[in-house]
Amino acid sequence: MIVTIDGPAGAGKSSIARQVADRLGFEFLDTGAMYRAVTLGAIWNNIDFQDVDALVAYVRSVNLKWHKNRISLNDTDVTNEIRTPTVTGAIHVLADLAEVRAQLSQQQRRIAEGRDIVTEGRDQGTEVFPDAECKIFLTASPQERAVRRQQQLAAAGRNVPIEDVIVSQNRRDEEDRSRPIGSLRPADDAVLLHSDGMTPDEVLQKALDIIAAAA
Ligand code: C5P
């Protein structure tokens, strides 16, 4: 069974998808980590971000591995390194390229082959797994997402003013929604889960109910 969870940044997709996968004994795939890893690799290799051919060739050449919730790039574990503001700010360049998306989508389908999996991202229900048995679009208001993000950053020792969180969140939302391919939007057959005012446990339970109804 394939369960897709798409939604905007800060909606809590990763933590819900991970918990759902744990509860159901499914694999979990964080596709954002794949976009992050190739972006980090392109930065490390000093690839010119204006040079589309070079970026595409780089993504084709790398060996990306997702194993037990960790991501490695040419056999180097980059799970922690991919979550920096520099990487986050640069991802859209690669994520906008059709060839890069095709390459990563193909790998995502290969990872899911023959497995029960919960996969989260932006385009999982629309482009990558249009025939998934269960599709959830997890969202929350911009205000609630920003507050949660600010709390996460504070927990990681970074105190960022809410205005700054909102500015970067708006930029990312706009980039994710306006992408020509793989843009952020709910699939026609996705169930919308709006998590404002819900506790994490309530969101988890609701997601499990949606999956049970689809199974
Ligand atoms: O989910 P996360 O915030 O880690 O994703 C980082 C970025 O990767 C997103 O803002 C988006 O630009 C890109 N992405 C994508 N398609 C996906 C997952 C992530 O374009 N399926």
Side-chain angles (χ1 to χ4, degrees):
M1 180 178 190
I2 294 179
V3 176
T4 63
I5 303 185
D6 290 307
K13 298 183 302 294
S14 273
S15 92
I16 290 297
R18 214 179 281 260
Q19 292 176 71
V20 163
D22 270 0
R23 285 283 191 99
L24 300 177
F26 282 23
E27 300 283 329
F28 159 69
L29 175 62
D30 172 355
T31 61
M34 298 173 78
Y35 284 89
R36 288 176 178 277
V38 291
T39 303
L40 177 69
I43 294 171
W44 276 354
N45 283 278
N46 290 318
I47 295 172
D48 177 359
F49 270 58
Q50 316 272 4
D51 187 342
V52 170
D53 292 343
L55 287 172
V56 171
Y58 172 72
V59 172
R60 288 214 175 107
S61 75
V62 292
N63 179 10
L64 205 57
K65 275 205 200 104
W66 174 257
H67 184 62
K68 297 209 160 116
N69 297 354
R70 300 201 66 86
I71 190 136
S72 64
L73 187 68
N74 295 335
D75 293 326
T76 301
D77 187 314
V78 291
T79 312
N80 301 328
E81 288 80 357
I82 58 175
R83 307 220 171 258
T84 63
T86 310
V87 172
T88 304
I91 297 175
H92 68 103
V93 178
L94 283 107
D96 279 354
L97 300 175
E99 294 91 337
V100 168
R101 302 202 71 84
Q103 189 71 22
L104 296 187
S105 299
Q106 193 186 23
Q107 294 190 29
Q108 290 156 16
R109 291 187 195 108
R110 212 177 295 142
I111 291 168
E113 223 165 58
R115 295 204 165 97
D116 292 320
I117 192 163
V118 182
T119 172
E120 65 99 344
R122 305 292 186 286
D123 59 348
Q124 300 298 285
T126 50
E127 301 281 345
V128 184
F129 301 105
D131 299 327
E133 287 85 350
C134 180
K135 300 179 185 178
I136 296 175
F137 193 82
L138 180 63
T139 190
S141 66
Q143 293 76 2
E144 186 135 345
R145 290 192 282 129
V147 169
R148 288 185 203 158
R149 178 81 190 124
Q150 189 190 36
Q151 287 166 350
Q152 271 174 3
L153 290 167
R158 287 180 53 212
N159 289 311
V160 182
I162 193 76
E163 298 76 26
D164 294 2
V165 177
I166 288 174
V167 167
S168 62
Q169 179 178 278
N170 285 347
R171 190 187 328 113
R172 266 231 280 167
D173 282 357
E174 181 50 30
E175 286 165 359
D176 286 351
R177 289 200 180 104
S178 60
R179 181 161 293 137
I181 306 171
S183 65
L184 170 67
R185 64 179 175 84
D188 293 339
D189 52 350
V191 178
L192 257 99
L193 175 42
H194 195 97
S195 68
D196 272 21
M198 293 169 76
T199 65
D201 279 351
E202 287 168 344
V203 181
L204 173 62
Q205 192 51 56
K206 183 77 193 153
L208 290 168
D209 291 348
I210 294 168
I211 297 164

